[in-house]
Amino acid sequence: MTTLKSKLKEDLTTAMKARDELTSSTLRLTLTAITKEEVSGKTSRELSDDEVQKVIAKEAKKRREAAEAFAQGGRTEQAEREKAEGALLDAYLPKQLSDDELNVIVAQAVEEAKSAGAEGPRAMGAVMKIVNPKVAGLADGGRVAATVKKLLAG
């Protein structure tokens, strides 16, 4: 078993003993998503820590989007719960890049793409190919794309 998955299981046991309903339900759902990913496809397999992190990131993103939708729908109590679940899952993910750090990485990629002959808004794909491997797991894709568009626009 991967170390991250075993940590999730240990934390689930601790949360259940402490009768922490929010943490235990969130971790249960996350472990279920990990198990579902492990058995999807033709053969079942053990996920690596990186793959487990991707599943956790996907689950955290779902929580953020749900919180936003509940907030827009006027269901603040449910939105707060979703935010709390997302924050709990974020603790298992690597620290996200700050806006300044992301801007530096994207600016370097834009210069790299320009030296390769790609310019203007059409260079978006070329820049994203350079940036994505550098920021994988450290920044949300939408945030990266918005930063790239902003820097390409001028």
Side-chain angles (χ1 to χ4, degrees), residues 7 12-13 20 26 40 89 99 119 124 131-132:
K7 173 145 178 47
L12 174 60
T13 304
D20 183 350
T26 303
S40 68
L89 291 175
D99 288 339
E119 282 196 46
M124 178 91 177
V131 172
N132 277 338

Side-chain angles (χ1 to χ4, degrees), residues 102-113:
L102 184 60
N103 282 334
V104 168
I105 292 171
V106 171
Q108 290 171 347
V110 167
E111 289 306 313
E112 217 175 297

Side-chain angles (χ1 to χ4, degrees), residues 1-6 8 34-35 37-38 44-57 92-93:
M1 186 180 306
T2 62
T3 55
L4 186 55
K5 186 176 174 185
S6 59
L8 286 168
I34 291 168
T35 304
E37 188 66 31
E38 286 178 334
S44 66
R45 61 195 167 84
E46 183 84 15
L47 294 181
S48 69
D49 270 353
D50 287 341
E51 291 170 317
V52 170
Q53 269 187 345
K54 286 180 184 173
V55 173
I56 294 171
Y92 294 96
L93 297 171

Side-chain angles (χ1 to χ4, degrees), residues 30-44:
T30 304
L31 284 165
T32 301
I34 291 168
T35 304
K36 186 177 177 183
E37 188 66 31
E38 286 178 334
V39 298
S40 68
K42 297 199 183 288
T43 59
S44 66

